[in-house]
Amino acid sequence: MLKKIIIPVVILAIALGAYRMMNAPKENSYGGRPATPVSAPSPESSEPKAKPGADARKTDAAQAAPGEAKAKAPAPSRGRGFRGAGQLGKQGATSVEIVPALADKTLAQLDLFGVIQAQHHTRLSATSNARVLALDVSEGQTVELGQGLLSLSADSAQEALTQRRSAQQELAARIRNETLKHDNDQASLTIDRELLRIAKNSVDRFTSLNSQQLTSGSDYEAALRAYQTQLMSVQNRQLTLAQYTDQMAQMLAQRDALASQIRLAKQVVADLQVTAPFAGLVAKVSVTQGQELRSGDVLVELYDPASLALFVRVPLRYRLDQLNATQISAVDSQGYAWQVEALRPINESGAQRLTLVPSGVNPVAFLPGSHVALTISYPIAEPAVEVPVTAVYDQQRVYLFADGVINAADIEILGRTQRGYLVRSPDFNDSASVVTTRLKTPVSGMAVAIVTSKDGARP
């Protein structure tokens, strides 16, 4: 079957190639088309002979109008090149547009982007190793003060609380025992002192009898040893009473430390039931049910929708910090009005930070972290000239037109508008004109031609 298809196709291709070779023009030995034979000029004339048909037409024309002069040949070019070269030479100067440098603008506008952030927000974290027992809320849910958010389970926290309570009870028993012992020592000291007095009298008596040789030396020595033993007992009792104050101070300090530890342990146990510290909205739930947690892991993020504010960074060149907050107005892309609550210069980052809150009862239809397009309007200190962005070079100069040339003029940008910049310069006057056409490589003294000024008038 394949041969039946291929063979006719091959035959058809061969036939087509043969047909093209038969109808192709003959080539010379160099591979090109044969040149058309041209008659050689005669020695008497340097002009080539005209074709027979042409001679016949000329003869007929001469017979039809014998008195008509022959048409003149077009004059050769005299170095002007192509037609219109002289006209283009006159238009060689760059065409630009200009606007008058009239200082009549006193209100500036800035198109900026801000970020929505909550000024009252919190991030709740696990206070100990635990496990998520139950989730009671979801992201985006509104909660009230004290409402349960999630429940945790931590056996170690309860055990730690039990151990600290046991230690507290043991210490309380020691304090009571030390108090009883102290009271007993005080009573015993009175008895010991009385016994010491008796022992001292016995020694004195035996000393007197011994001097009169009315008693033996062994009786005297026994009385003396009894006296010294009782004296040591009194001294030990006094030492114990003196140490009681320091021992009691140590035990009371231990009691206070245990009380603090018990409070913390109770708080850890209480934190196993996570509740809302204020009424707000759940921004993010960072855990799942059954998840094992470590101390410090983030559980839930909560914020107060009423505390949402818009934070905007403004370049320092626009000195908004010199204005009162009431002089600045702002409208976002949705048409909501905002008012400036605070303005903080941030010199290290080269920007000022505006804090704006909704004006009036306008709702905030954004979530924290949203970017908002904002138009800020504010007055400038003195009237300025409004020029388009194309007229300003390197944020520091424009070009003025005068007598067919342009010259650079240093400027200070006072603000922006929807159409360009508000600038001032010592070179501006009532007759000055600013070039608004963007030039690729402008230089002072460059010749230009004015096409149409912005107000539509011809120069």
Side-chain angles (χ1 to χ4, degrees):
M1 183 65 183
L2 186 60
K3 291 182 178 180
K4 292 181 179 180
I5 297 175
I6 295 177
I7 292 175
V9 173
V10 173
I11 294 174
L12 181 60
I14 294 174
L16 183 60
Y19 173 78
R20 290 180 177 178
M21 292 178 60
M22 293 176 62
N23 290 276
K26 295 182 180 180
E27 298 179 352
N28 54 24
S29 59
Y30 296 97
R33 294 181 178 273
T36 304
V38 180
S39 300
S42 60
E44 294 80 10
S45 175
S46 61
E47 296 180 359
K49 292 184 178 181
K51 296 183 179 179
D55 293 340
R57 287 193 295 272
K58 289 181 180 181
T59 303
D60 294 340
Q63 292 177 356
E68 187 176 355
K70 294 184 179 179
K72 295 183 180 180
S77 175
R78 296 184 179 180
R80 294 185 59 182
F82 52 87
R83 182 178 297 180
Q87 183 178 358
L88 289 177
K90 296 179 180 179
Q91 298 179 355
T94 302
S95 298
V96 297
E97 295 180 347
I98 60 174
V99 294
L102 299 178
D104 57 355
K105 302 294 183 180
T106 58
L107 186 66
Q109 291 182 327
L110 285 175
D111 291 331
L112 302 169
F113 281 92
V115 178
I116 297 291
Q117 295 180 4
Q119 300 184 88
H120 188 196
H121 68 282
T122 185
R123 180 178 295 174
L124 304 177
S125 304
T127 56
S128 63
N129 296 343
R131 179 173 56 87
V132 180
L133 192 62
L135 285 174
D136 302 323
V137 293
S138 58
E139 294 183 358
Q141 180 177 339
T142 302
V143 295
E144 300 297 331
L145 172 64
Q147 180 177 339
L149 304 178
L150 68 158
S151 300
L152 304 178
S153 174
D155 296 336
S156 59
Q158 189 63 49
E159 291 176 358
L161 177 59
T162 302
Q163 291 176 359
R164 285 173 174 79
R165 282 176 172 171
S166 299
Q168 185 184 46
Q169 294 174 358
E170 180 185 357
L171 182 60
R174 287 175 55 195
I175 292 175
R176 288 193 300 269
N177 290 334
E178 287 295 328
T179 302
L180 293 174
K181 184 180 177 182
H182 176 68
D183 295 340
N184 182 67
D185 287 339
Q186 284 182 329
S188 298
L189 179 61
T190 302
I191 298 173
D192 288 340
R193 285 175 174 172
E194 182 64 22
L195 293 175
L196 179 63
R197 185 185 66 79
I198 294 173
K200 178 68 169 60
N201 291 337
S202 178
V203 170
D204 292 341
R205 185 173 62 253
F206 279 108
T207 300
S208 177
L209 293 174
N210 190 29
S211 62
Q212 298 176 11
Q213 296 181 355
L214 297 176
T215 182
S216 63
S218 60
D219 292 336
Y220 171 77
E221 291 177 357
L224 182 60
R225 283 197 298 270
Y227 169 75
Q228 292 177 344
T229 300
Q230 191 59 38
L231 178 61
M232 291 180 60
S233 177
V234 170
Q235 291 176 344
N236 289 335
R237 192 78 65 181
Q238 290 176 337
L239 177 61
T240 300
L241 291 173
Q243 291 176 340
Y244 168 79
T245 302
D246 293 337
Q247 291 176 351
M248 185 57 67
Q250 293 177 357
M251 287 187 291
L252 291 177
Q254 293 176 7
R255 185 182 64 179
D256 294 340
L258 277 175
S260 177
Q261 294 174 4
I262 288 174
R263 285 194 298 269
L264 292 177
K266 286 181 178 180
Q267 186 62 45
V268 171
V269 173
D271 289 342
L272 296 178
Q273 301 297 322
V274 182
T275 59
F278 55 84
L281 190 142
V282 179
K284 185 178 181 181
V285 178
S286 303
V287 296
T288 58
Q289 187 169 349
Q291 180 178 343
E292 295 291 338
L293 303 174
R294 293 179 299 177
S295 178
D297 287 348
V298 178
L299 304 174
V300 178
E301 294 183 25
L302 190 72
Y303 73 94
D304 183 4
S307 70
L308 290 179
L310 180 61
F311 295 90
V312 182
R313 295 168 65 86
V314 182
L316 278 177
R317 80 166 63 93
Y318 310 111
R319 298 305 303 270
L320 300 186
D321 57 330
Q322 298 178 354
L323 303 174
N324 295 325
T326 56
Q327 295 178 285
I328 305 173
S329 61
V331 179
D332 63 27
S333 58
Q334 296 186 5
Y336 292 127
W338 297 76
Q339 63 185 14
V340 178
E341 184 181 62
L343 193 154
R344 184 180 67 184
I346 309 178
N347 297 328
E348 62 273 11
S349 62
Q352 303 161 96
R353 173 169 156 166
L354 287 179
T355 302
L356 301 103
V357 295
S359 178
V361 294
N362 291 338
V364 179
F366 303 99
L367 294 176
S370 302
H371 288 76
V372 179
L374 196 71
T375 300
I376 296 177
S377 302
Y378 60 96
I380 56 178
E382 59 184 83
V385 177
E386 182 182 20
V387 297
V389 176
T390 55
V392 178
Y393 296 82
D394 299 331
Q395 304 288 312
Q396 60 184 6
R397 66 180 180 278
V398 297
Y399 286 88
L400 302 180
F401 172 81
D403 299 330
V405 296
I406 61 174
N407 289 285
D410 294 333
I411 60 170
E412 178 185 358
I413 297 178
L414 302 180
R416 291 200 61 166
T417 65
Q418 296 291 343
R419 294 181 295 180
Y421 292 104
L422 295 177
V423 301
R424 67 179 178 184
S425 172
D427 298 327
F428 289 170
N429 53 53
D430 294 340
S431 61
S433 296
V434 180
V435 176
T436 60
T437 302
R438 190 69 179 182
L439 301 174
K440 187 175 182 180
T441 54
V443 292
S444 295
M446 176 179 174
V448 297
I450 306 304
V451 176
T452 304
S453 60
K454 285 294 183 182
D455 57 4
R458 290 283 181 178

